[in-house]
Amino acid sequence: MLDRSSEFDGGSGPDPVSELLMGMRLRGASYSKMRFSPPFGIGFAEAREARFHFVAAGQAVLRTPSGEMVPVSCGDAVLLPRGGAHAIASGPGVGIRPFDSFESVPLCPDICCVDALQEQQCRSRDVLVFSARMQLELDTLHPLIELMPDFLLVGAPSGRQPEVRPLLDAMEREMTASRAGSASILARLAEVVAVSVIRNWVECGCGDATGWVAALRDERLGRVLVALHRDPGRNWTLAEMAATMGSSRSVFAERFAAATGTTPLRYVASLRMRLAAQWLTRDRVPVEEIAHRLGYQSQAAFSRAYKRVTGTPPGQARKAR
């Protein structure tokens, strides 16, 4: 773990990215225990949710959303934060079959088993994979997801995340032992590992990410962004934001636009509408309540703002979802 606290507020506070990440929640949507005999290829279509895979036995290759072929083997875990189209196969030249075309057997609510084994083959060649669809509930941290790489891999021998190694070992035991309740335990372990992978990426500097992350890690701009994300429903003015940064309005506006690529007030409007979209489609929150949460004086005022920013009225957005 990297300690960057000294870079902000004279060492008195945490990294602003990490501070906002404390509010991250992860909710599993569905899980699959999969067993395959080579040769095999299973394709996962692009999805709104993140994807998580853990290899409990055998070796395979991951075809990433960009087409890169990455070897994965027993003990490896991979997270695809944006759920891009990808595949897991026994080798680079194997044909890919859609995941939904495999027959699955329910084990318990939201957890199923997929077996595609060849009886003639030795079971030592089988590949066991635990897979999950996950909703990364970052709420106001949506820009962070967009800045993440297509995939984040935790290799079995890696020493960069020692706290994850016992979790992966536990997942391997649960996958191979098939004990009572193993599916539910695997689901919870997968969620913890996925959050740990994201946290490690943040603590290691967010890779090559610039722009929004760089602005957030600017000590003075970071104070403003943290305040906006903590309280998006406040009636923010340019003067209040400049005062939070400790500068004039003109200096603040110029520096904010240079770092984020947009004006402060447009950023606030976009932030509010991202939240509104999640509450509308995912949580089914009434429009009137969303308007109140985000500081609009009336439902009509919120609806006008939502359509202006997104191009779609709130009611239509909910129906489309």
Side-chain angles (χ1 to χ4, degrees):
M1 181 181 300
L2 300 181
D3 182 7
R4 292 189 175 83
S5 60
S6 60
E7 297 178 23
F8 308 96
D9 297 326
S12 60
D15 179 331
V17 181
S18 300
E19 186 175 351
L20 288 178
L21 193 65
M22 291 176 186
M24 181 181 68
R25 298 181 302 278
L26 191 148
R27 179 172 59 188
S30 65
Y31 308 88
S32 304
K33 293 178 65 175
M34 304 182 295
R35 299 191 299 177
F36 297 96
S37 297
F40 70 88
I42 178 169
F44 300 88
E46 184 174 0
R48 293 171 60 92
E49 299 92 350
R51 276 282 187 180
F52 173 86
H53 303 292
F54 172 71
V55 181
Q59 297 181 339
V61 293
L62 169 74
R63 189 185 68 190
T64 71
S66 64
E68 181 183 0
M69 304 300 289
V70 179
V72 289
S73 58
C74 181
D76 290 347
V78 60
L79 175 70
L80 295 98
R82 292 187 299 279
H86 61 286
I88 296 177
S90 55
V94 179
I96 304 300
R97 178 178 164 184
F99 170 75
D100 292 339
S101 69
F102 288 89
E103 182 179 356
S104 62
V105 178
L107 298 177
C108 54
D110 300 323
I111 303 177
C112 69
C113 180
V114 175
D115 280 341
L117 302 177
Q118 299 182 23
E119 295 183 0
Q120 300 83 357
Q121 286 197 12
C122 175
R123 295 280 70 87
S124 64
R125 298 187 60 199
D126 292 345
V127 178
L128 306 182
V129 180
F130 184 77
S131 180
R133 285 192 303 114
M134 296 179 171
Q135 294 178 348
L136 294 176
E137 298 182 4
L138 290 174
D139 289 336
T140 63
L141 279 179
H142 182 270
L144 193 63
I145 298 179
E146 297 302 319
L147 293 171
M148 290 180 187
D150 283 343
F151 70 98
L152 295 163
L153 176 67
V154 181
S158 175
R160 292 181 60 184
Q161 294 179 255
E163 74 280 4
V164 176
R165 184 69 261 158
L167 299 174
L168 297 179
D169 291 341
M171 290 189 71
E172 184 177 345
R173 289 193 299 269
E174 293 296 334
M175 275 288 286
T176 55
S178 298
R179 299 171 60 188
S182 63
S184 296
I185 293 174
L186 279 166
R188 301 292 83 78
L189 287 171
E191 293 171 7
V192 175
V193 170
V195 172
S196 298
V197 169
I198 296 173
R199 182 179 66 180
N200 182 72
W201 178 75
V202 169
E203 291 177 341
C204 288
C206 300
D208 297 326
T210 57
W212 183 79
V213 169
L216 192 57
R217 286 194 159 136
D218 179 299
E219 179 180 351
R220 298 174 69 195
L221 273 179
R223 285 200 299 265
V224 180
L225 287 168
V226 168
L228 297 178
H229 283 252
R230 281 178 173 173
D231 191 7
R234 180 176 170 179
N235 184 24
W236 288 102
T237 65
L238 189 63
E240 287 177 314
M241 288 185 271
T244 302
M245 177 173 161
S247 72
S248 68
R249 286 182 293 179
S250 59
V251 169
F252 163 70
E254 182 179 353
R255 190 163 168 181
F256 189 98
T260 66
T262 188
T263 67
L265 294 179
R266 285 181 179 174
Y267 185 92
V268 172
S270 177
L271 173 62
R272 288 172 176 167
M273 295 311 119
R274 283 199 303 269
L275 279 173
Q278 291 180 12
W279 293 338
L280 278 168
T281 60
R282 185 191 69 196
D283 302 327
R284 314 297 292 181
V285 177
V287 174
E288 184 177 1
E289 183 178 341
I290 294 175
H292 175 72
R293 289 184 186 182
L294 294 177
Y296 290 91
Q297 294 183 347
S298 68
Q299 181 176 327
F302 162 72
S303 297
R304 288 194 298 270
Y306 189 89
K307 184 177 181 179
R308 183 174 64 252
V309 174
T310 68
T312 305
Q316 185 176 334
R318 191 196 297 277
K319 290 178 181 178
R321 172 59 174 156

